[in-house]
Amino acid sequence: MPEKTTGAVAGAGATGAAAQLEKGEPQPRSVRVVLMALMITMLLAMLDNMIVGPAMPTIVGDLGGMEHLSWVVTAYTLATAASTPIWGKLGDMYGRKGSFLTAIVIFLVGSALSGMAQDMGQLIGFRAVQGLGAGGLMVGVMAIIGDLVPPRDRGKYMGMMTGVMAVAMIGGPLVGGSITDHLGWRWAFYINLPLGAVALAMVTSVLHLPKKKAQGRIDYLGAALLTIGISALVLVTTWGGSEYAWGSAVIMELIGIGVASLIGFLFVQKKAAEPILPLHIFKNLNFSLMAVIGFITGFVMFGAMLFLPLFQQSVQGASATNSGLLLLPMLLSMMAVSMVAGRVTTSTGKYRLFPIVGTVLMVTGFYLLSQMDTGTSRLTSGLYMAVLGAGMGFLMQITMLVAQNSVEMKDMGVASSSATLFRTLGSSFGVAIMGALFNNRVHDVMAERAGSMGGKVTETSAQLDAESLKQLPAVIRDAYQHAVSAGTHSAFLLGAGISVVALLASFFVKEVPLRGSGPADKPAGDAEGDSARAAGQTVAEPV
């Protein structure tokens, strides 16, 4: 089916930058500066929660409000998830640069206010402001890369973004702990300001994209319904099994509100002149498959990041001080494979094999991790994590690349935001469902091995910190180690099963040529079309 695409010129005085990228020529300095700014912004988006986590105990000690502590994270997560699709649509309607700069400013304002908070209520409110901005950071980065770089060359840059993500996951807890110890918890938020200011200045000065004028009005009703639906579902996954029982009235009401809002949202989208999430993009099989694979990748990835450090600390006796380092085998493998896959995609134009290989490795990695027990060495678990990381490395940037290549340029923002949203929702559901399975299994095994005493130990939480674990009698501690081993076995086995769904979906992905293919496999006479794309003209291409 023919698809009309509109190219974009980026960089001051960098006319033809996209054409240079397509031909493999050296990039103009302005393009490199923009890409550096995007990497800094990606670092901001990924680093925030990683840095704030280690500061939480100090924050409670200073501000009080222990009973509201979870809302410091929940408010940020809710605002980020709910605003993500709206930012994508705003970029499509009014221009990518303006919406991206606005998101950065809101994020920085929220960071500054969070650092100045005088009580827990203020901190929660300011974190919500910060989350609103964060929702536009990731979407803006991916959509601008979509405008700036042809799909054929996009893989290597998205691989670099995955590398930034891995660096944030590894370094975030270390940086957060150091900042809190030496500068105070408020600097966990203030640290965003100089980084954000640099990104803001770089993007403002060198990024030049075609201005857009919206043809219709924003779909306010659709935005409201989607926000309510997403917020309800995120609260279900956040509160279910912790704040409230899964079968409680509050959780059932939230499920009802979420489902009703999303159904209403679908009806509104069919009639809206400028829908927040155009339903026609899901008619493209590749896009729908990437949504499924992205959701499952988020589901299993964040579940793994939650339970792997817990297993290593509780069962293998690893220190909790440098918790980010415990995930090094998985994250380094993910980063290396993502970069290699991106470069191979750029050089060959082929990508269909990557989702298949990635999901096979993901299923294998989770199955291997599910076999760990109290006798598993750190070397063995590290190798298992590397297998899982390699699988995720094949998937992290390919899902975004194929999703963007499956839509028209006018829908680049909503494609990027949808892919990001599905991964975010997947992570919320993954942590909740795998967490519930883990907790139930730990409680059961503790009751079996330690009787009523075991039940009392895990009465308030199935996850004990290092200090609490040291204070347990040897018999109870041994029972808890077996219980955690059994809990992670169940959680990771579920991860393997869910990953099979992604594996099945990957076999249906079609090898659609990436727009902007290099000379090696470009048919004769296509140079004219490339020149038109680089100049921002409309070109008909097969999809």
Side-chain angles (χ1 to χ4, degrees):
M1 173 173 109
E3 173 188 341
K4 291 185 178 181
T5 63
T6 304
V9 181
T15 304
Q20 285 180 292
L21 283 168
E22 287 183 13
K23 297 174 184 177
E25 296 175 8
Q27 306 149 22
R29 178 178 174 275
S30 54
V31 175
R32 295 197 298 271
V33 172
V34 170
L35 291 171
M36 180 61 70
L38 295 181
M39 291 176 70
I40 293 173
T41 310
M42 173 74 80
L43 188 64
L44 282 175
M46 293 301 304
L47 203 57
D48 192 72
N49 269 338
M50 299 292 173
I51 287 182
V52 172
M56 286 298 191
T58 308
I59 291 174
V60 172
D62 190 13
L63 299 182
M66 177 68 181
E67 67 277 14
H68 303 303
L69 179 63
S70 63
W71 273 102
V72 175
V73 175
T74 301
Y76 180 89
T77 305
L78 271 177
T80 301
S83 64
T84 292
I86 297 172
W87 282 115
K89 186 61 182 179
L90 288 175
D92 285 340
M93 291 180 67
Y94 299 106
R96 208 83 62 209
K97 181 177 178 178
S99 63
F100 186 54
L101 291 176
T102 302
I104 295 176
V105 170
I106 292 175
F107 179 82
L108 294 181
V109 169
S111 298
L113 292 174
S114 295
M116 293 186 287
Q118 298 301 307
D119 57 50
M120 191 60 78
Q122 288 184 10
L123 180 59
I124 291 169
F126 296 149
R127 283 284 282 168
V129 174
Q130 194 183 21
L132 285 175
L137 298 186
M138 186 81 75
V139 174
V141 167
M142 292 303 178
I144 289 173
I145 290 178
D147 275 348
L148 179 63
V149 184
R152 175 66 179 266
D153 297 296
R154 207 173 292 160
K156 61 184 178 183
Y157 295 105
M158 289 189 175
M160 291 166 60
M161 295 301 168
T162 301
V164 171
M165 188 183 303
V167 168
M169 292 175 180
I170 295 169
L174 297 174
V175 174
S178 298
I179 288 176
T180 303
D181 291 340
H182 296 98
L183 299 175
W185 67 265
R186 295 182 187 278
W187 278 95
F189 299 104
Y190 291 151
I191 192 66
N192 293 327
L193 301 181
L195 287 174
V198 170
L200 202 60
M202 293 167 75
V203 172
T204 302
S205 61
V206 300
L207 178 62
H208 294 265
L209 296 172
K211 294 182 179 180
K212 299 181 181 180
K213 187 175 182 180
Q215 299 299 314
R217 297 179 57 192
I218 295 176
D219 177 19
Y220 292 106
L221 178 57
L225 289 171
L226 183 61
T227 300
I228 293 170
I230 292 174
S231 299
L233 293 180
V234 172
L235 285 176
V236 166
T237 58
T238 303
W239 286 347
S242 55
E243 299 287 330
Y244 302 96
W246 282 104
S248 66
V250 172
I251 297 300
M252 291 297 104
E253 288 170 3
L254 283 173
I255 291 175
I257 291 171
V259 171
S261 298
L262 293 178
I263 291 175
F265 170 75
L266 294 177
F267 281 109
V268 169
Q269 295 308 280
K270 291 180 179 180
K271 299 179 179 179
E274 284 288 347
I276 293 293
L277 188 59
L279 300 183
H280 67 81
I281 62 177
F282 291 96
K283 294 179 180 179
N284 185 293
L285 178 61
N286 272 6
F287 184 88
S288 297
L289 291 173
M290 290 306 108
V292 171
I293 295 173
F295 179 90
I296 293 174
T297 302
F299 187 106
V300 297
M301 177 181 175
F302 285 89
M305 291 182 63
L306 175 64
F307 296 113
L308 280 170
L310 179 62
F311 177 87
Q312 291 177 304
Q313 293 171 36
S314 301
V315 179
Q316 296 180 327
S319 168
T321 305
N322 299 328
S323 56
L325 297 178
L326 299 175
L327 298 172
L328 265 178
M330 183 179 78
L331 296 176
L332 289 178
S333 174
M334 181 179 74
M335 179 170 62
V337 170
S338 180
M339 289 183 172
V340 171
R343 292 194 173 276
V344 170
T345 301
T346 296
S347 62
T348 66
K350 306 294 183 183
Y351 57 84
R352 183 176 181 272
L353 185 63
F354 292 149
I356 297 174
V357 174
T359 48
V360 166
L361 288 174
M362 196 160 68
V363 172
T364 304
F366 268 106
Y367 178 75
L368 291 173
L369 289 171
S370 74
Q371 303 307 302
M372 295 191 303
D373 55 29
T374 54
T376 303
S377 67
R378 293 189 192 179
L379 175 61
T380 301
S381 60
L383 291 174
Y384 293 168
M385 281 191 282
V387 174
L388 177 61
M392 291 179 177
F394 279 116
L395 297 172
M396 289 297 290
Q397 48 94 11
I398 288 295
T399 52
M400 180 66 74
L401 172 63
V402 178
Q404 289 183 339
N405 193 58
S406 302
V407 301
E408 298 180 40
M409 286 295 291
K410 69 182 181 66
D411 291 324
M412 184 66 69
V414 294
S416 303
S417 64
S418 298
T420 303
L421 177 62
F422 279 108
R423 188 177 297 168
T424 301
L425 291 178
S427 67
S428 296
F429 278 90
V431 169
I433 295 173
M434 292 175 79
L437 190 63
F438 171 85
N439 290 338
N440 290 336
R441 187 67 181 136
V442 169
H443 288 308
D444 290 344
V445 173
M446 284 295 285
E448 291 172 6
R449 285 183 167 266
S452 59
M453 183 63 180
K456 290 180 180 178
V457 169
T458 57
E459 193 172 32
T460 55
S461 175
Q463 302 178 32
L464 303 181
D465 57 34
E467 289 302 316
S468 300
L469 198 57
K470 289 178 182 177
Q471 295 173 7
L472 295 177
V475 175
I476 302 298
R477 187 163 59 247
D478 179 72
Y480 182 70
Q481 289 176 337
H482 280 85
V484 169
S485 179
T488 52
H489 168 79
S490 299
F492 291 148
L493 205 57
L494 173 65
I498 294 294
S499 298
V500 170
V501 178
L503 173 59
L504 295 175
S506 68
F507 281 106
F508 293 94
V509 175
K510 296 180 180 179
E511 187 82 80
V512 178
L514 295 174
R515 297 190 292 268
S517 296
D521 45 27
K522 186 186 302 177
D526 197 43
E528 183 179 341
D530 276 353
S531 300
R533 271 190 300 273
Q537 298 170 10
T538 300
V539 183
E541 297 190 27
V543 173

